Amino acid sequence: RETLRLADLAGQRWVRHGTVLGTSFQQRMEGRLKRDRIVLEHGMEADDTPSVMMLVAAGYGIALLPDSVRLFAPP
């Protein structure tokens, strides 16, 4: 699809930044998910954005990242 709503992601496994190094973008997304009562299954955590992207590319789940990271996305 060209667009997704956050609600479309409910129940998906979420690859995210670790709680110590979580980004402000991630914190905003978590707040929005909580406010909208959208529950994602917590999956693996990574220390940095490239590691999050590699875990997604390997099929470990989805990630909620800013659009700007697409410049660095693996195939």
Side-chain angles (χ1 to χ4, degrees), residues 34-71:
K34 186 175 181 176
R35 185 186 77 220
D36 293 351
R37 297 187 176 142
I38 299 168
V39 178
L40 299 179
E41 178 185 328
H42 286 273
M44 298 183 79
E45 293 186 357
D47 292 335
D48 53 51
T49 300
S51 296
V52 168
M53 294 180 353
M54 294 307 291
L55 288 168
V56 170
Y60 285 97
I62 63 166
L64 301 174
L65 299 168
D67 189 46
S68 60
V69 303
R70 285 196 299 160
L71 298 171

Side-chain angles (χ1 to χ4, degrees), residues 23-35 66:
T23 65
S24 62
F25 178 83
Q26 180 175 291
Q27 292 166 352
R28 289 193 310 270
M29 293 307 299
E30 288 173 349
R32 172 94 185 265
L33 291 165
K34 186 175 181 176
R35 185 186 77 220

